Amino acid sequence: MEAPSMDTVYQAISALYDNPNANEKEKASLWLGDVQKSIHSWKISDQLLQEKKDEQSYYFAAQTMRSKVQHNLSELPSESLVSLRDSLIAHLENAAAGTSNAILTQLSLALADLALQMQTWQNCVSDLIKLFSTKNEFALLEILTVLPQEIDSPNLKLGENRREEIKNELRANSNLVCLFLKESIANSQNSQISLKIVKCMTSWIQVRAVNIDEVPQNAVIGFCLQVLRDHNSINLLHDAASDCICALLHCLEENNNNEDIERLLFDSIASLEDSYHMAVAHEEEEKAVNYAKVFTELAETFLEKIVFCTASGRVHFAMRSLELALVCVGHHDYEVAEITFNLWYRLSEEVYQRDQEPLTDAFRPHIERLIEALARHCQLEPDNTKLPDEGDEFYEFRMKVMELIKDVVFMVGSSAVFRQMFAALQADCSWEHTEAALFIMQAVAKNIVPDEEEYVPKVVEAILSMPVESHVAVRRTCILLLGELCEWVERHPACLQPCLHALLHALHHPSLAPAAAQALQSICKACRTQASAHVDTLVAAARTADTASQPLAGAAGATLLRALAAALGALPAPQLAAAMRDAAEAQLRELRALLAADGEIKKGTRSDPVLWLDRLAALFRDVDVPPAAVSSQDAHPCLPALTDSWPVLYDVMKKWVSHTRVVERACRCLRFGVRCVGAGCVTLLPALCGALPALYDAHPHGCVLYVCGVLCDVTARRPHAAQPLLQLLHALLPPALALLQAHNGLQDNPDTVDDLFRLCIRYLQHIPVAFLSSGAAPSVLQCAALASRLDHREANSSVMKFLGDLLRCANDIPADATPEKQQIKSLADSALSQYGEQLTCALVEAAALHLHAYMLGEVGEVVVELVRWARAHGADWLRPALARLPRDTERTAAPTDNQCWQFHQYALRAEKCKEMTRLLRDFARLYR
């Protein structure tokens, strides 16, 4: 775009912020976005900053300047960076006392990001202090705060060399900064300045620039402890002080410190207990949260040492920190208690790994108190007439409590917790106390010994005899508890029928139906053989549950069908075949009615095909037919049901081909059906191979590719299956590859990448000769090279698995293998000789420039195999791969020549995946 006039820019900014017309606002926003992307925005934002006509244009300019420095610094020639630096310094020096924090932050970020990228600006920290300390202290504090924070910003690809250089500079200047902050805190009469000082110190601590040994003399740390001791401190300052102390403790945990300093800090922080109690007494909830964070961080800092000393029969001085954390768990607000959860998770892991009874005994009292307090926190409000809604904060808290108890309960024993909660039920307590005790029982019920005879029978009896007028929350928790006791029920078959009766009765209560269906599924799955005697009852329940105008709520209908399927699987083959057809027909009847109608889909109602597809899928998913029940001569007992279902599923996908949700659920149903029947569905192969490509041509749903992969998985080994499967692949590849080769095709369709390479993996595993000799491999390998840089975990993983399988075909088949395997190796070798170098270059580039570090494990595995193959064939593909990477160390993050040479030498000798992964991660850090 051409350079716009300043008047036009001001008019657009005014329209963006002041014009009440939404269309005009949107136009202004789009136009200003284009201005920001253009080269002219450097000059425009600088002029706006100089003129400072109004708050809106001032902020737009500051934000634009920060964005340009962060993302587009390469647009400027190197010689102009000094003038840009001087301009930003001048703008910040001249920022008036009343300048908004938002503008000051944007300008400070711009200068900090420039300093980090401007390698010629040596010792920027001392320069900034000299320039600003006497002119604009407030701006200096902001700059010194954001500078350490930006070092690891994902928006700045500094590279490990530059990051380490900057961190060394910060460490070298930490005394200067601490001295400046000490003088500032001594002279400060302004809480805003004090807040800035504390936040600045926190930033420097977080990047490990402050020497731990100098902490006792650090004036800002002393000030933070003083703020925390005073429960009347301003909330914002209290928050900042607690963050600073937590950062210090986190840093302390990673160092082998002087014990005197550790004791000093521990005693200083532990002495805040009285301040915590004062905050609670004065109902200062925010401050109570801050104290909980500090006490929890204190305990986590010393946790390993506490456990180590306890395991050695000694008591560490920081043991009291667990008591402080438990004090916070006792707070009346569950949000305060939740802050400590990670501490108890870590404690349970440390104790579990050591597996020493004396160690477990030492921490048992802490866990007993924890569970007792959590039971109180889980109590619902007495006047609550409804169940907690799934997704609300308190519901999520209770779910976290359940997971925590499951993790820590081994330290006290599930039976002890069950007994403790049962004792609470014996008292004449309110419904909310009863429900909370049952909820805790639910958390540990799975771990109860199935032969327990003292308490569980009484609990089950009480649940089954519970009056219908009991509070709905109590009834729901009882139902869920019954489901968790499924293994106990399996050992006590006499109580199965009354349990099923009670749960089937609860299905008719809308609020209880989901829980009842879930409990039925658990019990039927655990008691398959016994439950098969009650199939007729379950079928009747599935039919009557939907007699009302609305079907069984939510996923409860599908869950009920999964319960039925679990019971069906234990039937003799002839009965199973008939029962499956009947159960499937009930769902197919509804789908046929929807196919015949032209009504609109209303999600969650009878008009929604997904409702019936999910139920049909549930049947195929959970009917676990024992292999002994399927003879080689007879068809699979579930094949008739799948044969009935396929034409209806095909018609559903054709009618709603553009409805992704419907097609995905139909494919899911077909997938479960194919998995259920296994190789027996080969009789359906011609129909499926003919119909699925047409569906994919009509609309490229990735789930169709996934189903085809499953079809290959289960039928490929059957006689005469290879040819129709190859025809299927050749019909699917052109539209799939065309979709991925379009502009941004890989980025916009990661699910298709995932499903396509999963499909190719199945073909390579089951019919490798046919796949590798069919002509499909070249286009798939070229696509793999392009897709290797795709920053999508599942999609990239599938690409790497495919390449890994191909390389193992070439590398791991010995010379004396069978002729078929030798043919596989020959075909794989031929593919690698043609595309191996291209793949190596693509993978090294992807690892260095595009992929997250956590994704490099599988990439490392493939690169090891590529290097291994190349070495065996006298080639070195790593050298050209490294030569193609960017190396302009003046303007971009990049490794030195020596670092590239070291990577090359080590990678050539790497024999194991872990070794190569570590090399790739270290090398990638040089670019990011």
Side-chain angles (χ1 to χ4, degrees), residues 545-827:
D546 292 331
T547 52
S549 58
Q550 286 293 329
L552 202 58
T559 308
L560 178 58
L561 267 292
R562 291 185 70 181
L564 172 60
L568 287 175
L571 291 173
Q575 290 176 252
L576 171 58
M580 271 295 287
R581 290 190 82 173
D582 287 346
E585 180 57 32
Q587 322 311 318
L588 296 173
R589 190 182 307 116
E590 299 286 349
L591 288 170
R592 291 190 195 98
L594 293 179
L595 286 166
D598 292 321
E600 181 184 351
I601 293 177
K602 293 182 180 177
K603 193 173 178 180
T605 68
R606 300 189 82 92
S607 68
D608 186 359
V610 165
L611 188 81
W612 313 107
L613 290 170
D614 282 352
R615 296 185 181 195
L616 189 58
L619 275 172
F620 288 118
R621 179 181 183 179
D622 272 56
V623 59
D624 187 13
V625 183
V630 185
S631 67
S632 56
Q633 292 80 23
D634 298 330
H636 192 285
C638 295
L639 179 60
L642 181 60
T643 305
D644 293 345
S645 301
W646 162 239
V648 179
L649 292 174
Y650 183 47
D651 289 342
V652 165
M653 288 191 277
K654 281 195 299 182
K655 178 169 182 173
W656 288 292
V657 69
S658 60
H659 288 63
T660 300
R661 176 171 160 269
V662 175
V663 175
E664 283 182 348
R665 293 305 229 287
C667 282
R668 178 172 173 267
C669 183
L670 180 58
R671 170 164 56 95
F672 284 135
V674 169
R675 283 283 186 209
C676 171
V677 174
C681 70
V682 72
T683 57
L684 289 172
L685 193 59
L688 292 167
C689 289
L692 292 172
L695 281 170
Y696 193 74
D697 272 336
H699 199 292
H701 294 289
C703 54
V704 175
L705 299 176
Y706 192 93
V707 167
C708 292
V710 173
L711 195 61
C712 175
D713 212 18
V714 301
T715 64
R717 299 294 181 181
R718 294 297 295 266
H720 313 300
Q723 193 57 38
L725 287 172
L726 276 179
Q727 291 171 355
L728 176 63
L729 178 66
H730 282 287
L732 293 169
L733 271 181
L737 293 173
L739 179 69
L740 298 179
Q741 288 164 1
H743 179 65
N744 285 335
L746 292 165
Q747 291 78 8
D748 294 341
N749 302 282
D751 290 343
T752 296
V753 176
D754 186 18
D755 293 326
L756 175 62
F757 281 94
R758 283 174 182 261
L759 173 67
C760 293
I761 288 168
R762 263 68 180 259
Y763 275 76
L764 187 59
Q765 288 174 342
H766 298 300
I767 46 173
V769 172
F771 173 70
L772 292 171
S773 60
S774 69
S779 56
V780 173
L781 285 171
Q782 288 172 347
C783 183
L786 293 173
S788 63
R789 67 174 63 183
L790 185 59
D791 192 10
H792 183 281
R793 188 167 197 163
E794 288 76 19
N796 199 277
S797 176
S798 294
V799 174
M800 295 306 137
K801 284 189 174 82
F802 169 75
L803 292 175
D805 283 356
L806 175 66
L807 282 155
R808 278 184 284 277
C809 289
N811 285 334
D812 294 347
I813 295 177
D816 58 350
T818 63
E820 182 187 3
K821 289 193 174 180
Q822 288 182 21
Q823 186 181 5
I824 295 169
K825 176 175 171 55
S826 175
L827 290 166

Side-chain angles (χ1 to χ4, degrees), residues 106-156:
Q106 292 297 314
L107 288 173
S108 299
L109 283 167
L111 183 57
D113 289 346
L114 177 62
L116 294 173
Q117 295 176 85
M118 191 175 170
Q119 298 190 43
T120 55
W121 187 4
Q122 297 293 317
N123 213 7
C124 63
V125 174
S126 61
D127 287 349
L128 289 168
I129 292 176
K130 289 173 188 174
L131 286 165
F132 283 95
S133 58
T134 58
K135 295 179 181 178
N136 194 331
E137 182 187 29
F138 202 73
L140 177 57
L141 285 168
E142 186 67 24
I143 297 165
L144 291 177
T145 300
V146 300
L147 181 65
Q149 293 172 351
E150 288 294 285
I151 291 175
D152 294 310
S153 168
N155 295 314
L156 290 178

